[in-house]
Amino acid sequence: MEIESTLISEAEIQKRVWELGQQISEDYSNREPVLVCVLKGAAVFFADLFRTVSIPVRCEFIQLSSYDDRTESSGHVRTVQGLNGNLHNADVVVVEDIVDTGQTLSFLMKEFQALEPASVKVCSLLNKPTRRIVSATIDYVGFEIPDTFVVGYGLDYAQKYRNLREIYHIKA
Ligand code: 5GP
């Protein structure tokens, strides 16, 4: 696997992340939402997004796994580390790196609903709508991208490339 070309530049990412943060701040202006970071892929996006939110906000973290160092989801999503905070009656915004087949999001929504929050919305940096197996509602989308495997800005291939500042195509 090697890096092919830039799909989304650092400047484009920063501009869009700022817009998403403003939108979330407006939509939750009289509330105190809990932004939940889905580790590890969303960590970089989360750190930037969280700091653009201009209203009182809390953060929580959950770690999932489904890829096992491949470019195709195994379809078996599992929780590696669960939530610690209490989300009962909370306004939750789930922050994801990318929605691909939709299986991870579907798993997450079931997990969250069981905690009886007041509301749950989803913010994903990237969306690959053509790959959907399970339907998914995404309330805040950074960028829609074609059916290509991407790395950088938190996204990995076999745990590498998360530190890159742009989002790149990768080729086999
Ligand atoms: P889904 O369950 O929607 O198929 O997959 C969601 C998860 O798969 C994402 O959170 C992400 O970890 C991983 N994923 C899906 N597409 C890509 C991609 O193009 N690049 C990387 N690095 N991870 C991806």
Side-chain angles (χ1 to χ4, degrees):
M1 284 282 179
E2 63 184 85
I3 298 283
E4 195 171 78
S5 57
T6 302
L7 181 65
I8 310 172
S9 71
E10 184 176 4
E12 288 175 293
I13 295 169
Q14 292 308 326
K15 176 171 178 283
R16 189 70 189 117
V17 170
W18 189 85
E19 289 169 357
L20 290 171
Q22 295 307 299
Q23 191 65 56
I24 290 170
S25 304
E26 275 173 33
D27 293 354
Y28 290 88
S29 60
N30 50 357
R31 288 176 282 171
E32 191 177 316
V34 182
L35 267 55
V36 179
C37 174
V38 184
L39 296 168
K40 298 176 189 167
V44 176
F45 171 46
F46 186 88
D48 284 346
L49 178 73
F50 193 66
R51 288 175 296 169
T52 66
V53 174
S54 53
I55 55 168
V57 62
R58 285 163 48 199
C59 66
E60 290 292 338
F61 297 85
I62 185 170
Q63 185 172 1
L64 304 180
S65 179
S66 70
Y67 264 48
D68 301 328
D69 294 354
R70 299 177 303 161
T71 57
E72 289 290 323
S73 170
S74 64
H76 299 291
V77 185
R78 61 190 175 89
T79 305
V80 177
Q81 187 191 310
L83 292 160
N84 292 322
N86 181 4
L87 297 186
H88 186 70
N89 282 335
D91 288 305
V92 172
V93 181
V94 181
V95 180
E96 264 280 25
D97 54 353
I98 182 165
V99 179
D100 184 22
T101 64
Q103 293 173 107
T104 305
L105 194 52
S106 156
F107 172 87
L108 271 173
M109 293 311 269
K110 285 189 201 119
E111 296 277 296
F112 284 112
Q113 294 300 355
L115 302 173
E116 301 183 321
S119 66
V120 184
K121 284 196 178 183
V122 176
C123 174
S124 184
L125 176 68
L126 304 174
N127 182 24
K128 276 193 222 173
T130 55
R131 297 250 314 160
R132 215 61 105 239
I133 293 173
V134 184
S135 74
T137 303
I138 314 174
D139 303 279
Y140 305 97
V141 177
F143 302 92
E144 298 224 332
I145 63 166
D147 180 8
T148 178
F149 197 79
V150 293
V151 296
Y153 197 64
L155 290 115
D156 75 312
Y157 172 68
Q159 301 301 327
K160 287 197 301 187
Y161 309 120
R162 293 192 197 274
N163 56 319
L164 303 180
R165 303 176 77 93
E166 306 192 307
I167 294 173
Y168 298 88
H169 291 283
I170 201 167
K171 77 172 175 205

